[in-house]
Amino acid sequence: MLLHIPQVLSKQQVAQLRQQLHAAPWQAGANTAGAQAAKVKHNLQLPQNWPMAQHMAQQVKEALLANPLFVSAVLPKQLLLPLFNCYQQGGHFGNHVDGAIQYETMSRLPVRTDVSTTVFLSEPDEYEGGELIIEDTYGSHEVKLAAGDAIVYPASSLHRVEAVASGQRFAAFLWSQSMVKENSQRQLLFDLDMTIIRLRQQLQDSAEVLALTNHYHNLLRQWAE
Ligand code: NI
């Protein structure tokens, strides 16, 4: 599932984050990548132990968890703390897959990466290039969103960030472990949830809408872990 979630962060929240990002101690992103990804990762990343980064990450995480579309699409069980990155001066991240297991910074507990999320923190006209390219069974998708918008995609997909020829591309990204491991099952639940919401607007809480809501929850009960 590839889902665009508009306005996860308000323009004011983005402006505040951007102010903090400009004063941040950036490091080479390859430091935190696995062996395959490190070879193709050419960007800057904020050290996770920088106190301000933790504060900003918490803010992004809370905004996502408060977003009904995100919750319906991801069915989050555990969210890793978002990381912040910057691409500039030709910076790019070649084709790679994200590691299946990441460890939580504090607890060091393993988290299965089911869903990846990128929250854009630069407006598309602030930089040239820098498209996020996601490959799935339907082909190759090019993503470049307004600041504050997010894209949710399966962590299992091959992806890359094209070179930023000019300007700066700031973004936050994070991995989530979902209650529903299977991408296709998550997609079914999301589609069903969206249909129920639209039906409820037309029919209010009719017996049929209630029955369909019951089906949704019974499916979720069967698939959630
Ligand atoms: Ni990646």
Side-chain angles (χ1 to χ4, degrees), residues 7 27 42 47-48 51 57 61 68 75 84 86 89 97-98 101 110 128 131 157 167 206-207 209 215 221:
Q7 293 173 321
Q27 287 180 351
H42 303 279
Q48 270 190 303
K61 186 175 167 176
L75 297 168
F84 293 88
C86 171
Q89 297 170 341
V97 281
D98 297 338
I101 304 290
E128 254 184 287
E131 296 83 2
S157 52
S206 66
V209 170
H215 292 325
R221 192 170 284 117

Side-chain angles (χ1 to χ4, degrees), residues 37 93-94 96-99 116 132 153 155 157 159-161 173 175:
F93 197 163
H96 67 282
V97 281
D98 297 338
S116 296
L132 171 64
Y153 56 100
S157 52
H159 57 277
R160 65 179 182 273
V161 176
F173 82 95
W175 291 289

